[in-house]
Amino acid sequence: MTPEAKARQQIDLKLEQAGWVIQDMKDVNLSAATGVAVREFPTDTGPADYVLFVNRVAVGVIEAKKDVTAENITVVESQTEGYAAARLKWRKDKTPLRFLFQATGVVTRFTDNADPVPRSRELFHFFRPEQLDKWQGTPNTLRQRLAADMPPLAAANLRDCQVSAVTGLEASLAMNKPRALVHMATGAGKTFTAITSVYRLLKFGGAKRILFLVDTRNLGKQAHQEFMAYTPPDDARKFTELYTVQRLSSSSIDPHAQVCISTIQRMYSILSGEPIDESAEDTSLNEVQQTSRQAKFVRYNPAVPVETFDFIVIDECHRSIYNLWKQVLDYFDASLIGLTATPDKRTFGFFNENVVAEYSYEQSVADGVNVGYDVYEIETDITQKGAALKAKEWVDHRDRQTRTKRWAATEEDNIYTGKELDRSVVNVSQIRQVILAMKTAVETQMFPTRKETPKTLIFAKTDSHADDIINMVREVYGQGNAFCKKVTYNADEDTDSILSSFRNDYHPRIAVTVDMIATGTDVKPLEVLLFMRDVRSKGYYEQMKGRGVRSLDGESLKRVSNSADGAKTRFVLIDAVGVEKSLKTESRPLEKKPGVPLKDLLQGVAMGSRDDDTVLSLANRLVRLAKQLDHKAQGRITDVSGGVTVAELGKSLIAALDVDAIVQEALAVANAKGLGRSEDTLLPAEIEAVRAQRVAAACAPFDTPALRNEIENARREREQLIDHVNLDQVVFSGYSEQAETQAQATIQRFAEYLAAHRDEIAALSFFYAQPYARRALTFEMIESLHDQLSRPPLMLTTERLWSAYERVHAGKVSGAGTKRQLTDLVSLVRFALGLDTELRPFADEVDRRFQGWIFRHNARRGTAFTPEQTEWLRLIKEHIASSCRIGREDFDYAELADKGGLQKAWGLFGEELDGLMDEMNVELVA
């Protein structure tokens, strides 16, 4: 078989897979199928290799070549154009054929002659005849619409960076550029920007279907939520009311879906024909090493033809789209749109250096979109130097997976380094010292006025390491399970629920993760990041830091951190493993001199101290101050500065140190002098001269003493003097009428909610049901009720309800000074339903009932409980006070297990134990 024949054999196979019927000229039957490819069709310039007919009408031509021609197949384009323009025998229409293909057995290229500027592009496979029929019947092509039909962008509710991204992307698409990169800082609204573009491409560009590609299932869920929440500027309906959005969970694509959200793993599975388990979608492919031996090459899938998507939006495109996974992007005939906050050289190269929008972290901080950060270091001796365990030392040996322990002597000397910590060796003291140091620093230096622990995220090395950290955090802080939770793909609890609580609820205050919150997941109230793992990937580290950069207004921050004094103005990165030193980061902490007072920074700049650290620190303080000042204070500064706001003063300082801008300006200056410089030949002195000039211009306003004084005065207004000298006394004590009214409204909403949902919520059914059914009350039921009450629009947290009852029924409410527990909701419900005449903390009520119960029990027994039995009953009572009930499984908890657990209790009470527990569950709670 000749090379040409082998190539045609493959071309025939591909055409048949795409739904075409192949015919020789002597056997032509154009009615045989919708699409017929006729070999060697005669034209006035000679026979064409293939002429494509759709519904009996000639629409295209294929020029077939042997495989070795692929390296310069574009030279065949003119030959294909000649056949397309030639007169086909028996065809009366003289219009050139629209669809042009050049193909070998391996490579296929395609040109649509109806495009504004026809340009060939490579295809993975031939189109189906139905697709060519649809295009043939459309008056203008997708590329025509992108070039001529896109209306101006409604920019009312968009940030400047989002406007720039959408308009830049549309300009790129209008020029038929196949790949475009949107580089926007974390927190700047990349997904919202992408959805805005998707909406416009569907509505005005006439796109058929768009793929939104992610690399973890969690990011897919987040994207789906954002699509559901998006309201376009020109329609009051939600996006999902206008267009069908499908999040792929199988290999079936809804034919009516205009947007498909999929992980790259699932799409790879569909195209390679290999089944996939959902758990494979939980880990970013960036973290998975795959060898060529493991490769499963994608193949043509008639159910998902190459024309399925017009555009592919790739979230977090700096990872997961390279190597084997790139096949997914090569398969579809679609324009690629990349979104990332942390591009690297691979990213720029993949997207042909077509960066349509660039918005850096420093710019986002200057604009108030994100907040700056400080770096705080914790170093321990063992972290730095490691340690040694001598042979014959008796220590715990723990299985990594099952965590089963055995107490045994070491067989040989074990010398380990800091790098081996929490992998081959776990040093409990090292974890304790880091957590202790963090707690002390947060409470005394970083957030000294806070009454609650700021929302904190800890990055662990492994799931086992995460468990060790969680146990230590709870011990060091003296808190329970709710205070610190693990948020990883391998967590036992529902990770989505924990993540939602971490974002929106009081608990957990601290979350520990390995990878799930490392990238792409928004937790705006985060104010502390603790790194207990090192990261080598620059982009991944930037993404991890990005979890803390989100800005948040004061009201929203107070919902989860009540003692916050205003908007989130910064976050603190605590480095316990040298992660900041182990690599050069692309975003830099703007606060380089956190201990220098603002007035000294202002004075230093005015006196000529223009080093990067001083200028950036002053910029960060001004940006932060702009968020804290009221309109009057900001207005006074603007007046003194000659019309420049305090935020703009800070922003200009950051812009002055923009390295790229300095280099470009230095090149312009050098070339204006005829020096013919390039970036590589610029002299350090030439760069420094431009830098000094830019910084001098940005610092010039601070030469004015009046401006420096006004800024310092505005800062002072934000601070208070604490008077310990002059004593005061109370002359009136009582609530204002407005507060009383609000409290009554809160109580009324609570009562109405209880009445309206009595049959829907298990915890309410408990109170309305007969006494025997009350035995079913569990902590989970109370937690579920609290979750529903505390969500918007009710926002009826336990603290808020208790405070309202204090104001309205002061004489009937006790326990005002104690911290509210979740189980206090039981007392609130009982009081609201009239089952109790006094509102007291649940633990107090349980204690009161316990005293009565044990008195009655001792009175009717032959002998009273022994002191040891009584102490155990008190432990059981304490557990019921915190968890609403007790069962045998609860004896594994620390407070009971430490006393001997179920075995000890059974030894004291024998077969009476179960009956006593059942009795206490009823008597102390119902």
Side-chain angles (χ1 to χ4, degrees):
M1 188 180 291
T2 65
E4 289 84 354
K6 287 182 179 179
R8 291 202 180 201
Q9 190 177 51
Q10 288 300 312
I11 292 169
D12 287 354
L13 177 62
K14 289 183 178 181
L15 285 168
E16 288 170 351
Q17 288 174 335
W20 295 87
V21 171
I22 314 297
Q23 296 177 352
D24 290 325
M25 187 62 215
K26 61 184 177 61
D27 299 318
V28 166
N29 177 6
L30 299 182
S31 299
T34 301
V36 176
V38 182
R39 299 190 191 100
E40 303 298 329
F41 195 96
T43 75
D44 60 3
T45 60
D49 291 337
Y50 297 82
V51 172
L52 302 178
F53 288 83
V54 175
N55 293 325
R56 303 181 63 88
V57 177
V59 297
V61 61
I62 303 174
E63 178 63 25
K65 294 294 180 185
K66 56 187 176 183
D67 290 354
V68 294
T69 314
E71 63 181 353
N72 61 346
I73 196 169
T74 54
V75 303
V76 184
E77 290 169 357
S78 58
Q79 190 176 350
T80 316
E81 290 166 4
Y83 284 123
R87 185 166 183 177
L88 273 64
K89 196 171 184 179
W90 303 293
R91 180 177 183 248
K92 295 180 180 180
D93 189 353
K94 296 182 180 180
T95 307
L97 299 180
R98 174 174 169 180
F99 304 116
L100 282 59
F101 297 86
Q102 300 88 41
T104 70
V106 178
V107 174
T108 305
R109 293 190 70 85
F110 166 72
T111 304
D112 185 345
N113 264 342
D115 281 340
V117 182
R119 182 193 307 161
S120 73
R121 60 185 185 268
E122 188 169 338
L123 300 179
F124 181 86
H125 206 278
F126 289 106
F127 300 120
R128 294 181 60 80
E130 292 80 5
Q131 184 62 52
L132 297 187
D133 185 40
K134 188 177 295 182
W135 283 341
Q136 188 79 1
T138 305
N140 50 16
T141 71
L142 174 63
R143 285 161 181 78
Q144 281 179 320
R145 296 191 294 273
L146 293 174
D149 295 350
M150 301 298 287
L153 177 65
N157 295 317
L158 297 174
R159 297 172 178 149
D160 290 345
C161 61
Q162 293 171 325
V163 172
S164 173
V166 175
T167 54
L169 173 59
E170 291 180 2
S172 173
L173 293 173
M175 297 171 66
N176 195 16
K177 294 189 176 183
R179 300 180 182 184
L181 177 63
V182 176
H183 172 200
M184 292 176 69
T186 296
K190 290 189 298 297
T191 308
F192 187 90
T193 304
I195 297 173
T196 301
S197 291
V198 167
Y199 172 74
R200 287 171 58 80
L201 290 172
L202 289 170
K203 180 169 183 177
F204 305 115
K208 173 182 62 178
R209 188 181 293 111
I210 297 174
L211 175 62
F212 195 96
L213 201 62
V214 296
D215 69 350
T216 66
R217 194 164 37 153
N218 184 50
L219 291 181
K221 289 177 184 176
Q222 254 186 225
H224 197 194
Q225 289 167 355
E226 294 211 39
F227 271 103
M228 290 190 287
Y230 182 86
T231 303
D234 56 355
D235 198 307
R237 292 170 292 179
K238 297 289 186 185
F239 186 100
T240 46
E241 294 175 299
L242 296 165
Y243 300 104
T244 301
V245 178
Q246 178 192 20
R247 186 156 66 88
L248 284 183
S249 57
S250 69
S251 61
S252 176
I253 295 176
D254 182 351
H256 303 292
Q258 286 96 358
V259 176
C260 289
I261 302 171
S262 174
T263 62
I264 195 167
Q265 296 94 312
R266 181 161 295 282
M267 194 58 68
Y268 180 77
S269 164
I270 293 171
L271 300 179
S272 65
E274 293 292 318
I276 185 175
D277 185 83
E278 282 194 352
S279 62
E281 300 179 89
D282 288 338
T283 304
S284 167
L285 298 179
N286 194 45
E287 302 300 300
V288 177
Q289 296 296 321
Q290 185 167 11
T291 66
S292 57
R293 285 189 176 184
Q294 296 171 296
K296 301 294 182 184
F297 292 102
V298 302
R299 54 177 181 259
Y300 183 70
N301 184 343
V304 188
V306 296
E307 63 266 26
T308 300
F309 302 107
D310 292 323
F311 300 93
I312 301 178
V313 179
I314 310 158
D315 195 19
E316 308 295 356
C317 67
H318 59 280
R319 62 192 196 202
S320 302
I321 62 171
Y322 309 103
N323 303 326
L324 298 174
W325 316 110
K326 180 176 173 288
Q327 297 177 80
V328 172
L329 304 179
D330 292 339
Y331 179 88
F332 294 107
D333 178 46
S335 298
L336 306 182
I337 302 165
L339 309 175
T340 183
T342 54
D344 56 22
K345 291 179 180 178
R346 286 188 312 172
T347 318
F348 289 121
F350 181 86
F351 287 95
N352 303 330
E353 299 182 63
N354 182 30
V355 184
V356 298
E358 195 162 13
Y359 187 63
S360 69
Y361 167 69
E362 285 81 6
Q363 287 174 297
S364 71
V365 173
D367 291 343
V369 172
N370 285 325
V371 297
Y373 69 95
D374 301 327
V375 177
Y376 186 94
E377 294 181 354
I378 296 174
E379 295 179 357
T380 72
D381 188 48
I382 291 178
T383 304
Q384 288 185 320
K385 302 175 184 176
L389 284 170
K390 294 183 178 179
K392 308 301 181 184
E393 292 264 21
W394 283 83
V395 295
D396 271 325
H397 293 63
R398 186 177 72 191
D399 185 280
R400 296 183 194 221
Q401 298 267 311
T402 66
R403 296 178 73 82
T404 304
K405 293 180 183 177
R406 64 180 178 87
W407 181 250
T410 55
E411 296 177 358
E412 57 187 13
D413 288 349
N414 282 275
I415 301 172
Y416 62 90
T417 67
K419 301 290 184 188
E420 295 172 90
L421 279 171
D422 309 300
R423 299 192 187 277
S424 60
V425 179
V426 175
N427 187 302
V428 178
S429 176
Q430 183 263 348
I431 298 174
R432 180 182 290 109
Q433 293 306 317
V434 170
I435 300 301
L436 274 169
M438 175 186 76
K439 182 176 186 292
T440 302
V442 168
E443 293 174 355
T444 62
Q445 298 177 52
M446 301 171 192
F447 300 94
T449 63
R450 293 289 179 87
K451 295 179 180 177
E452 66 281 304
T453 301
K455 288 281 185 174
T456 301
L457 180 62
I458 302 176
F459 290 111
K461 297 172 184 174
T462 63
D463 274 290
S464 179
H465 187 211
D467 280 351
D468 291 334
I469 293 170
I470 288 168
N471 292 331
M472 190 58 68
V473 166
R474 292 170 179 171
E475 175 191 314
V476 168
Y477 280 83
Q479 295 288 343
N481 296 349
F483 180 80
C484 181
K485 292 280 190 181
K486 179 160 74 169
V487 188
T488 73
Y489 294 111
N490 295 324
D492 294 330
E493 299 180 62
D494 179 10
T495 51
D496 289 337
S497 175
I498 297 172
L499 190 53
S500 176
S501 296
F502 190 44
R503 284 193 190 104
N504 306 312
D505 301 337
Y506 183 84
H507 278 138
R509 302 308 301 172
I510 297 177
V512 183
T513 190
V514 177
D515 49 19
M516 187 171 176
I517 317 182
T519 62
T521 305
D522 289 334
V523 185
K524 291 185 177 180
L526 263 182
E527 296 182 273
V528 178
L529 295 182
L530 170 61
F531 279 82
M532 293 188 72
R533 63 173 285 193
D534 200 357
V535 183
R536 294 298 177 190
S537 164
K538 183 184 296 185
Y540 194 50
Y541 178 52
E542 291 294 321
Q543 289 279 314
M544 293 167 81
K545 284 196 299 187
R547 301 316 97 211
V549 304
R550 267 71 168 174
S551 61
L552 190 62
D553 62 86
E555 183 179 347
S556 299
L557 183 57
K558 281 176 176 288
R559 286 187 190 133
V560 294
S561 297
N562 190 51
S563 62
D565 60 358
K568 177 179 172 182
T569 59
R570 62 161 183 162
F571 75 96
V572 181
L573 188 158
I574 303 178
D575 181 3
V577 291
V579 68
E580 273 280 306
K581 297 175 182 177
S582 69
L583 47 80
K584 294 181 179 179
T585 62
E586 292 176 4
S587 68
R588 49 192 173 173
L590 296 184
E591 185 63 81
K592 296 288 188 176
K593 297 186 174 182
V596 180
L598 176 60
K599 70 173 185 178
D600 290 350
L601 289 172
L602 289 165
Q603 189 72 23
V605 165
M607 295 298 293
S609 182
R610 307 286 171 83
D611 60 280
D612 282 11
D613 286 359
T614 300
V615 174
L616 281 173
S617 293
L618 177 57
N620 189 43
R621 300 286 182 87
L622 295 176
V623 170
R624 190 182 299 178
L625 190 63
K627 293 184 177 184
Q628 299 171 334
L629 298 180
D630 58 28
H631 293 304
K632 290 183 179 179
Q634 295 210 40
R636 291 196 297 269
I637 293 174
T638 302
D639 291 341
V640 176
S641 68
V644 184
T645 66
V646 64
E648 289 169 347
L649 288 168
K651 188 175 179 179
S652 66
L653 292 172
I654 295 172
L657 291 173
D658 185 321
V659 175
D660 291 334
I662 291 171
V663 169
Q664 292 305 314
E665 193 171 326
L667 281 173
V669 171
N671 291 331
K673 296 178 180 178
L675 298 176
R677 297 279 194 244
S678 67
E679 289 189 20
D680 295 330
T681 58
L682 272 173
L683 299 177
E686 292 168 338
I687 295 174
E688 178 55 33
V690 171
R691 177 205 170 278
Q693 187 177 14
R694 289 169 61 89
V695 171
C699 292
F702 305 107
D703 290 342
T704 307
L707 177 60
R708 300 199 300 272
N709 292 335
E710 193 59 59
I711 292 173
E712 175 60 17
N713 290 337
R715 182 198 64 80
R716 277 207 204 103
E717 289 175 5
R718 287 282 305 163
E719 297 180 345
Q720 298 173 312
L721 292 174
I722 309 300
D723 185 352
H724 296 285
V725 179
N726 297 298
L727 304 180
D728 197 9
Q729 60 182 356
V730 176
V731 293
F732 171 77
S733 179
Y735 291 112
S736 68
E737 290 184 9
Q738 182 181 5
E740 184 89 5
T741 303
Q742 290 175 344
Q744 289 173 341
T746 298
I747 292 171
Q748 181 65 27
R749 286 204 307 278
F750 183 45
E752 289 172 353
Y753 183 86
L754 295 181
H757 296 82
R758 58 179 293 175
D759 296 324
E760 301 169 23
I761 301 174
L764 296 183
S765 300
F766 166 91
F767 290 105
Y768 283 104
Q770 295 303 312
Y772 185 81
R774 292 177 183 168
R775 299 181 188 181
L777 183 64
T778 64
F779 184 82
E780 289 73 23
M781 292 160 61
I782 295 301
E783 196 172 38
S784 174
L785 176 57
H786 180 268
D787 182 54
Q788 295 181 61
L789 286 169
S790 59
R791 291 177 188 163
L794 290 173
M795 301 296 289
L796 297 176
T797 62
T798 307
E799 290 84 359
R800 186 177 181 187
L801 285 168
W802 206 278
S803 176
Y805 277 112
E806 273 184 313
R807 296 186 179 191
V808 178
H809 302 289
K812 299 180 180 180
V813 181
S814 60
T818 58
K819 185 177 180 180
R820 299 273 65 81
Q821 303 296 322
L822 191 61
T823 48
D824 285 341
L825 189 55
V826 176
S827 299
L828 286 164
V829 174
R830 290 185 59 84
F831 188 72
L833 297 178
L835 299 176
D836 291 335
T837 57
E838 181 181 353
L839 177 60
R840 63 180 69 184
F842 181 72
D844 291 357
E845 181 65 16
V846 168
D847 190 63
R848 184 184 68 80
R849 293 183 178 211
F850 176 77
Q851 299 300 332
W853 173 80
I854 201 169
F855 178 83
R856 293 193 304 274
H857 225 286
N858 282 336
R860 65 174 182 258
R861 285 169 60 96
T863 56
F865 290 121
T866 66
E868 190 175 10
Q869 287 177 321
T870 302
E871 180 58 30
W872 263 92
L873 290 172
R874 290 188 184 281
L875 289 173
I876 292 172
K877 180 261 296 183
E878 294 297 334
H879 185 85
I880 291 174
S882 63
S883 303
C884 291
R885 69 176 299 281
I886 192 167
R888 286 192 180 192
E889 67 277 9
D890 297 320
F891 284 82
D892 290 334
Y893 285 106
E895 65 270 25
L896 296 173
D898 289 348
K899 301 289 185 181
L902 183 60
Q903 185 177 1
K904 177 66 176 177
W906 191 267
L908 286 173
F909 296 104
E911 295 180 356
E912 285 187 304
L913 180 62
D914 289 334
L916 287 170
M917 288 192 296
D918 289 343
E919 192 173 338
M920 292 176 74
N921 282 335
V922 174
E923 291 286 339
L924 305 191
V925 178

